[in-house]
Amino acid sequence: MPIRLAVPNEILPGERRIALEPSVAKRLLGLGVEVCMEKGAALSAHFADAAFEGVKLIDTPAALYKGAGLVFKVQPPTLEELDLIDDNAVIVGFMQPHKNRELLKKMCAKKITALAMELVPRISRAQSMDALSSQAAIAGYKGALMGADLASVFFPMLTTAAGTIRPARVVVIGAGVAGLQAIATARRLGAVVEAYDVRSATREQCESLGAKFIDTGVSAEGQGGYARELTVEEKQQQRDVLAKHIAMADVVISTAAIPGRPSPKIIDREMVTNMKVGAVIVDLASEGGGNCELTVPGETVNFEGRITVHGPLNVPSQVPIHASEMYAKNLFNLVSPFISESGELVLDFADEVIAGCVLTRDGEIIPEQYKAEQ
Ligand code: NAD
C-alpha cells in the first residue's frame, strides 16, 4: 500500500519554514506517495494551499497524522505532537537529540523510526540531503545582510562628490558553510573581509572567496572534518591575535560551532570594549549560546551605547521560501530512493546515509553518543 506522508504546520513560535514545497510535493505524488498537508501550513513560507496540486489538505493535526506512516518536520516534534502520531511511523526532521531526552524516550516507546537531519553524514553522496549545510548557507548570507543593515558605515568603497568612502572592514569567525557564505556575501557588497577558523583547511577556501585569512597559529581539526575544543593556552593565543583584528572591524560575523557542544566563547567583554564606536557583532552562533560573551540569544544588545551585539535565532526561517525549498529537497533526496514502485517506504538500514542519521528505531536509541545518556 502506498505510504501516507503527513506534513504539519510548524508550531514553534517564529518558525516560518515548512518541510514541503510544491515541486517536491509533485515529485512525491509521482512516486505514488499519498501526500497530505495541514491546511494553510505553508502560508508562513508564502506557499498557498492551491499551489500544492494533488496534495490532500487536512483541517486538523489529529486527522492529518491518522494513518500516516511518514512525517516530514522542520523542528523536532513536541511531546503533544508525538501523541497524535501513529506508533511505528517514520519521522524525518531536525531532532536536536542532545537537548531532547524526553522526545527520544517517547519515540522509543512508540517504536518511531526517527531520521535526524543533523546526523546526515557529511559525505559527497549525501550533499544533496545535507540540511545543516543548506540552512547554514542561508544563515551566513542573511547574517552578512544583517551586519550591513546594522552597520554605521557603507560596505562598499564609494567615490562621491562628497569624497571617497572607505569600504567596511568585516571579520568573519568560523569558516564552515555559514561563514563561507557570509564571506561571499560581504565581499559582493564590497566590504574588505578577513576570516578566521581553527581548521587550517579553511584558509584556501576563505582566500578563494576574496577574504584575507587571519593566522593565529592555532590549528584544531577534530573528527569528521569538525573542529575540536581548544585548550586554555590555545584559547589565549587565539584571543591575542583576534583581538587586534576585531578592534579594527566595523562588523564581526561569528559562526563558530562545535557539534553537540555550547558555542565556543571567542569574543570577550574586553575585546568588545576595544571595538570601534558604531561597530556591530552579528553572532550567528547564538543558538548554542553565542561566540561573544555579551550575546543575549534572540536579542540585540546595545553595549555602552557604542557597540551593537546582535544575537539572532533561527535565521533560516527569515528566508522562508528558499529555506523551505532547499530543506524539502533535502528530505526528498534522503527518502525518495527508498520508495518502492508501489509507493511504499522501505528504508535500507544498511545504507550508509540512513544508518548515519537513524536516531531511534525498534524502541532503541541508535547513535552511541545518545545511547549513553539513556
Ligand atoms: P560548524 O557549523 O560545525 O562550525 C562552524 C565553523 O566554526 C567550523 O568551520 C569550525 O571549524 C569553526 N570553529 C569551531 N571552533 C572554532 C574556534 N574556536 N575558532 C574559530 N572557528 C571555530 O561547521 P559546518 O559548517 O557544519 O562544517 C563542518 C565541517 O563539515 C567542515 O569540515 C565542512 O567542510 C564539512 N562539510 C562537508 C560537507 C560534505 O562533504 N558533504 C558538507 C558541508 C560541510
Side-chain angles (χ1 to χ4, degrees), residues 121-124 126-127 130 132-133 136 173-178 196-199 202 205 224-228 230 238 242 255-259 264 266:
R122 301 316 260 292
I123 55 173
S124 304
Q127 277 184 10
D130 185 348
L132 277 184
S133 288
I173 299 174
V177 180
Y196 169 65
D197 197 288
V198 281
R199 291 182 298 113
T202 58
Q205 295 162 355
Y226 290 101
R228 61 162 169 79
L230 303 185
Q238 170 181 285
L242 276 185
T255 74
I258 297 159
I266 297 172

Side-chain angles (χ1 to χ4, degrees), residues 174-364:
V177 180
L180 292 173
Q181 195 56 244
I183 294 171
T185 307
R187 285 285 300 137
R188 279 188 211 119
L189 289 172
V192 171
V193 182
E194 293 182 307
Y196 169 65
D197 197 288
V198 281
R199 291 182 298 113
S200 47
T202 58
R203 171 191 283 269
E204 212 180 294
Q205 295 162 355
C206 294
E207 288 175 350
S208 72
L209 292 170
K212 185 169 175 287
F213 193 75
I214 301 172
D215 195 347
T216 64
V218 175
S219 172
E221 348 278 322
Q223 278 181 341
Y226 290 101
R228 61 162 169 79
E229 252 182 315
L230 303 185
T231 62
V232 175
E233 293 75 28
E234 285 173 333
K235 276 187 190 157
Q236 186 59 42
Q237 186 178 337
Q238 170 181 285
R239 186 202 175 281
D240 292 345
V241 178
L242 276 185
K244 294 184 189 121
H245 293 267
I246 289 174
M248 305 282 286
D250 296 297
V251 174
V252 174
I253 301 165
S254 67
T255 74
I258 297 159
R261 308 276 311 143
S263 320
K265 289 282 180 265
I266 297 172
I267 310 167
D268 59 30
R269 172 180 278 268
E270 193 186 332
M271 288 157 97
V272 181
T273 306
N274 291 334
M275 287 177 80
K276 296 200 297 198
V277 176
V280 175
I281 297 173
V282 178
D283 196 341
L284 290 179
S286 296
E287 216 81 46
N291 293 142
C292 175
E293 217 171 78
L294 301 181
T295 296
V296 180
E299 291 187 21
T300 305
V301 175
N302 183 341
F303 178 65
E304 295 179 349
R306 301 186 301 121
I307 318 289
T308 304
V309 184
H310 187 49
L313 292 173
N314 197 356
V315 177
S317 177
Q318 295 186 26
V319 190
I321 296 180
H322 281 156
S324 301
E325 283 177 3
M326 292 162 90
Y327 184 72
K329 281 177 188 155
N330 293 146
L331 298 189
F332 177 83
N333 291 330
L334 177 68
V335 169
S336 60
F338 305 101
I339 294 174
S340 71
E341 276 183 18
S342 51
E344 282 167 282
L345 178 68
V346 189
L347 290 173
D348 175 5
F349 292 96
D351 176 89
E352 189 182 3
V353 180
I354 297 297
C357 71
V358 62
L359 178 61
T360 61
R361 186 187 170 208
D362 290 337
E364 274 187 64

